[in-house]
Amino acid sequence: MHVIGQNTMQYDENTGSPKAKIEDFAWIAGHWKGEAFGGIVEEMWTPPLGESMMGSFKLVTDGKTSFYELEILREVGETVILQLKHFHGDLKGWEEKNETVDFPLVKLEKNKAYFDGFTFDLISENELMMYVVVSDKGEQQEVTFHYTRVK
């Protein structure tokens, strides 16, 4: 495992993923809102149920939805994986029908989960940071999502 950005890590196939259960991620559940990519971002996560958690993401720029993501955290074997699919504002998918973008678990701490290039960090009960490595024209950069809980 090595650091990609300041707050993200890369998965190492030789090390594999640590043991984890979906209940270890219950602290992510909730309705979160923030700013990123020049717009408003909104994310909602359900509590653990059926060995998984379901999340949705939306980016709104200039008053219009730019894209959505459907996300899941689910138990696979003795660990948990983050998987997602992207959709344009008209709900047409980015990935092929049976393809997902997968982020294996790298490291799990109290209120902090490192997946391959994707980190959840609960700062307080009402503040959640997410760090995601994105590629643009061959360049990788770490994008910060600063969320506050919607009540």
Side-chain angles (χ1 to χ4, degrees):
M1 118 181 89
H2 76 275
V3 176
I4 297 176
Q6 189 174 359
N7 300 288
T8 51
M9 294 181 171
Q10 187 173 16
Y11 178 73
D12 180 347
E13 286 188 27
N14 295 321
T15 305
S17 292
K19 288 185 179 184
K21 290 289 199 187
I22 197 63
E23 290 75 19
D24 298 330
F25 302 85
W27 50 270
I28 295 171
H31 182 181
W32 303 95
K33 200 172 200 177
E35 294 182 19
F37 297 125
I40 304 295
V41 287
E42 184 176 39
E43 196 146 342
M44 292 182 226
W45 282 94
T46 62
L49 179 66
E51 298 181 348
S52 70
M53 290 174 68
M54 179 176 58
S56 61
F57 168 92
K58 174 169 69 172
L59 169 64
V60 176
T61 51
D62 299 322
K64 295 187 188 268
T65 299
S66 297
F67 73 94
Y68 301 98
E69 290 176 359
L70 181 60
E71 311 158 299
I72 60 170
L73 288 166
R74 71 180 180 98
E75 291 183 15
V76 176
E78 294 186 336
T79 191
V80 170
I81 189 169
L82 168 64
Q83 295 178 291
L84 61 85
K85 282 179 129 357
H86 297 91
F87 300 89
H88 293 284
D90 62 0
L91 215 54
K92 291 192 169 109
W94 294 10
E95 291 82 22
E96 291 297 319
K97 181 179 177 181
N98 291 326
E99 290 180 5
T100 57
V101 181
D102 297 350
F103 302 88
L105 183 63
V106 176
K107 184 178 180 182
L108 182 60
E109 299 174 353
K110 183 178 181 350
N111 296 332
K112 195 167 192 173
Y114 295 92
F115 291 88
D116 185 24
F118 196 122
T119 303
F120 293 89
D121 186 4
L122 188 67
I123 304 299
S124 71
E125 180 182 330
N126 295 310
E127 188 177 8
L128 178 68
M129 301 295 286
M130 289 187 200
Y131 306 96
V132 183
V133 174
V134 295
S135 295
D136 185 24
K137 299 173 187 156
E139 295 283 321
Q140 285 191 329
Q141 73 176 57
E142 186 180 273
V143 177
T144 300
F145 297 80
H146 182 198
Y147 289 105
T148 54
R149 189 180 297 276
V150 177
K151 294 187 179 200

